[in-house]
């Protein structure tokens, strides 16, 4: 990233949070994948109020997303990351540049969360895997029977998401939403020599042109990795 971005982020932290224990700059600008509309993702750790809160603003011409935490709030979001297997807070701090570190917390948490990111999420439970297989099978059936072009395209987009999530979580990898789901899958492909990200995106584009076969073929291949289609006999326990 540019030195200007780091300096601007640090100046914002010093001006707004003179008593901060630690602050980190994460996101696309640090990872080297920023676009012209990317913002500065800044996480800040305070001992108490006004934290916790989130704020969007502009600072010296840069769009900024501020994530202001207490220790308790940070732990809440980290537990949410682990439960959903979407490492938003883990990534923002684990893959970051330390902007401020008044007591050693900045470097310590950065290294701790980087190690947790590298270790990956918990593996899928048997119940989660069965539910994922059933959900994707159901969407495949919807795709095959759909006669409305708009509905077919939306089903394909949902299949892209569900299949990408199964591939990643089924291999004990982190997942994400939107562009981050695609980025996680592309990283998985680079690590494994596969091309699922490209195949699934191509499948959605093919559906837009009226051809559902490519995405159905790719999704079926992924299902077969984890036991195949599932409908008959599937059950799910309701809430107690």
């Amino acid at each position: 990233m540019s030195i200007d971005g780091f300096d601007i982020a640090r100046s914002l932290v010093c001006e707004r949070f003179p008593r901060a224990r630690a602050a980190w700059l994460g996101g696309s600008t640090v990872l080297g994948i920023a676009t012209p509309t990317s913002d500065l993702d800044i996480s800040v750790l305070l001992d108490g109020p006004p934290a916790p809160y989130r704020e969007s603003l502009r600072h010296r011409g840069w769009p900024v997303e501020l994530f202001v935490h207490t220790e308790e709030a940070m732990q809440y979001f980290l537990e949410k990351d682990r439960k959903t297997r979407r490492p938003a807070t883990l990534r923002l701090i684990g893959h970051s540049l330390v902007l401020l570190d008044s007591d050693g917390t900045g470097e310590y948490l950065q290294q701790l969360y980087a190690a947790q990111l590298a270790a990956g999420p918990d593996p899928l439970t048997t119940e989660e895997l069965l539910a994922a297989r059933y959900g994707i099978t159901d969407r495949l059936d919807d795709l095959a029977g759909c006669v409305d072009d708009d509905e077919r395209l939306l089903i394909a987009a949902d299949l892209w998401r569900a299949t990408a999530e199964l591939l990643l979580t089924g291999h004990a990898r982190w997942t994400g939403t939107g562009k981050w789901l695609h980025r996680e899958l592309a990283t998985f492909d680079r690590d494994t020599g596969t091309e699922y990200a490209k195949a699934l995106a191509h499948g959605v584009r093919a559906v837009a042109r009226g051809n559902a076969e490519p995405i159905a073929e790719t999704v079926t291949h992924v299902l077969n990795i984890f036991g195949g289609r599932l409908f008959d006999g599937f059950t799910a326990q309701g809430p107690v």
Side-chain angles (χ1 to χ4, degrees):
M1 68 163 298
S2 71
I3 296 177
D4 287 346
F6 179 88
D7 289 343
I8 287 172
R10 194 172 191 281
S11 73
L12 173 61
V13 170
C14 292
E15 291 173 17
R16 292 277 301 267
F17 308 102
R19 297 182 180 178
R21 292 176 56 190
W24 305 265
L25 175 63
S28 301
T29 53
V30 171
L31 297 174
I33 51 177
T35 69
T37 58
S38 292
D39 48 33
L40 298 176
D41 293 305
I42 302 173
S43 301
V44 181
L45 178 62
L46 303 180
D47 276 329
Y53 71 94
R54 172 177 176 171
E55 181 181 357
S56 301
L57 66 145
R58 288 187 178 272
H59 181 72
R60 300 186 184 179
W62 282 70
V64 176
E65 292 282 0
L66 271 177
F67 306 91
V68 187
H69 298 280
T70 60
E71 284 192 22
E72 294 79 9
M74 187 175 291
Q75 285 304 312
Y76 169 83
F77 286 110
L78 291 171
E79 287 302 318
K80 184 179 179 181
D81 283 3
R82 296 183 184 101
K83 183 177 181 179
T84 62
R85 300 182 178 87
R86 297 171 180 167
T89 302
L90 267 177
R91 186 189 291 115
L92 283 176
I93 298 175
H95 291 168
S96 71
L97 297 174
V98 178
L99 295 169
L100 181 147
D101 191 357
S102 65
D103 60 4
T105 301
E107 184 176 352
Y108 170 75
L109 291 182
Q110 180 200 49
Q111 293 177 0
L112 177 64
Y113 297 162
Q116 293 179 9
L117 278 171
D122 292 336
L124 289 178
T125 65
T126 299
E127 291 77 14
E128 288 173 325
L129 179 57
L130 291 175
R133 288 171 57 200
Y134 170 80
I136 293 173
T137 300
D138 187 51
R139 291 174 179 87
L140 273 177
D141 290 341
D142 285 345
L143 184 70
C146 187
V147 295
D148 182 279
D149 290 343
D150 294 335
E151 285 187 7
R152 189 183 299 112
L153 180 60
L154 295 173
I155 293 167
D158 200 25
L159 268 173
W160 165 82
R161 177 198 55 77
T163 305
E165 288 181 346
L166 175 59
L167 263 170
L168 291 166
T169 58
H171 287 92
R173 304 282 292 241
W174 297 105
T175 183
T177 59
K179 65 184 181 183
W180 281 106
L181 179 56
H182 174 76
R183 288 171 177 176
E184 293 285 2
L185 188 56
T187 300
F188 173 81
D189 284 337
R190 287 194 294 272
D191 292 343
T192 60
T194 52
E195 292 189 339
Y196 291 113
K198 185 177 295 185
L200 285 170
H202 168 73
V204 175
R205 285 194 293 269
V207 170
R209 296 191 294 267
N211 182 9
E213 290 184 9
I215 196 166
E217 180 179 341
T218 300
V219 172
T220 299
H221 171 76
V222 172
L223 275 177
N224 288 339
I225 296 173
F226 299 100
R229 294 172 62 98
L230 177 62
F231 181 81
D232 293 343
F234 173 74
T235 60
Q237 186 66 45
V240 177

